[in-house]
Amino acid sequence: MKLDDSTFAELRQIRRDLHAHPELCYEEQRTSDIIAAKLTEWGIPVLRGLGLTGVVGVIKNGRSTRAIGLRADMDALPMQEINAFSHASRHPGKMHACGHDGHTAMLLGAAQQLAQRRDFDGTIYVIFQPAEEGGAGARRMIADGLFEQCPMEAIYGMHNWPGTAVGTMSVAPGPMMASSNEFQVVVKGKGAHAAQPHKGIDPVMIAVQIAQSWQAIITREKSPLDTAVLSITQIHAGSATNVIPDEATLVGTVRTFTTPVLDLIESRMRAVAEHTAAGFGAEVQFEFKRNYPPLVNHAQETAFAVAVMKTVVGADKVDANVEPTMGAEDFAFFLQEKAGCYVFIGNGEGEHRDGGHGLGPCVLHNASYDFNDNLLPIGTSFWVCLAKMGLPLHP
């Protein structure tokens, strides 16, 4: 499917307008208003309020009771954009640095085409989700009754992927993105003068022992075939060079592809921290927060998505077994509830960026990033083709 020039121009304008007016998680009011207005303009019934600012368009045709969901995320990131082109963010400290503006535009393009053509049999739910960037908007939409109000047999999502060529698409069956989890451990010792360490309980040395011992969990306690990353990203302690502090804090993240491995790591981290501290006469306050679960694609839906991708971009442009990433994505919550698949679409290396872009790389969560508008017809075509092939018309 090829977009005509006027449709492409409209989607490009929408995408760039969204980029210029980024909104953070659960603040996507302007964005959702634009989406709802466009869907209504195209004759698509709209549901609002799921996930607070979420929008769902309901496109029906024929007599089939079958239904599938297509999802795009809407929120921006709390970071300062350094691009200076005309559609750069107009809101300091907010930026579409992950391409959700483009994801929204592609799904809007598909909604428009599906509403005009009605060449499928069943129901397509176009789901515009808030708060992917740390707000667990998918979980909130589910809790608010998304799947009860919009019963569907499968759900699909798509994310742009910098560093891979425009016109290519990729996916992996099974685990494709990792769980995202964070920890904060406070070691409570006893302060003392640095010249008299024997009169205190040094939390800094205990924290160092804990940090080193934790890495043995990754290398010696889990199977080497199970991928996991434990990163200590912050250590805070003390305020003077000649004072042993009362406390030391360790902060970081853990990422895994399976929940059992995560269970093992969390329990062993806690045990190591508590027992190490106890051995030196200290105590610990252990906090472990599970943010997003692993994103696990379902086999049948992944095979179907591969067939659609090959139809849209050609078999030679499809990687059906892409290397999984340790990045996280809250579409994982949807896949825990429904069969489905999440795919990547190549965003290029950054040559597409307008003059005045930042000097940094065009990668996700970078202040110099910009979505590649050349993806708009490809992503739109993928969604339309998926709907037609997933819910085919019968003579």
Side-chain angles (χ1 to χ4, degrees), residues 91-333:
H91 303 308
K94 301 178 183 180
M95 179 189 177
H96 269 296
C98 204
H100 297 185
D101 49 343
H103 302 166
T104 295
M106 291 189 293
L107 188 54
L108 278 174
Q112 182 187 37
Q113 297 298 310
L114 290 168
Q116 289 176 350
R117 301 184 181 201
R118 305 280 174 168
D119 48 359
F120 62 93
D121 188 12
T123 302
I124 305 296
Y125 295 106
V126 286
I127 303 163
F128 297 88
Q129 179 214 304
E132 190 281 324
E133 297 289 358
R139 183 172 59 192
R140 178 75 175 269
M141 292 190 84
I142 294 168
D144 285 351
L146 172 65
F147 293 135
E148 288 76 27
Q149 295 187 45
C150 305
M152 63 191 74
E153 62 188 49
I155 187 168
Y156 297 86
M158 176 165 52
H159 203 294
N160 78 96
W161 207 242
T164 56
V166 174
T168 64
M169 300 188 74
S170 57
V171 70
M176 192 171 85
M177 301 185 76
S179 65
S180 172
N181 317 276
E182 58 191 66
F183 60 84
Q184 177 174 295
V185 176
V186 180
V187 180
K188 297 180 178 295
K190 179 182 177 182
H193 195 294
Q196 298 176 318
H198 61 291
K199 294 183 178 181
I201 299 174
D202 189 346
V204 177
M205 293 301 297
I206 298 169
V208 170
Q209 292 269 13
I210 291 171
Q212 292 178 327
S213 298
W214 275 348
Q215 295 306 317
I217 300 171
I218 303 299
T219 62
R220 290 296 179 268
E221 295 199 44
K222 71 165 187 61
S223 167
L225 301 179
D226 292 327
T227 304
V229 176
L230 192 168
S231 295
I232 300 166
T233 56
Q234 301 175 43
I235 298 180
H236 302 285
S239 59
T241 57
N242 61 346
V243 176
I244 293 173
D246 290 312
E247 296 181 352
T249 301
L250 297 158
V251 178
T253 63
V254 174
R255 296 172 185 266
T256 71
F257 284 133
T258 69
T259 300
V261 172
L262 179 60
D263 292 341
L264 168 68
I265 292 173
E266 179 183 353
S267 65
R268 294 299 298 136
M269 284 180 66
R270 180 187 296 273
V272 167
E274 291 176 347
H275 293 153
T276 301
F280 289 96
E283 297 179 351
V284 293
Q285 178 182 314
F286 186 95
E287 296 181 10
F288 195 98
K289 181 181 178 183
R290 298 192 180 198
N291 293 325
Y292 292 174
L295 186 147
V296 182
N297 282 328
H298 296 245
Q300 180 176 328
E301 286 68 28
T302 301
F304 171 62
V306 168
V308 175
M309 287 190 283
K310 290 180 178 179
T311 300
V312 173
V313 299
D316 61 326
K317 300 293 181 63
V318 174
D319 184 348
N321 196 25
V322 71
E323 180 178 313
T325 172
M326 297 307 288
E329 161 64 56
D330 86 338
F331 191 80
F333 288 114

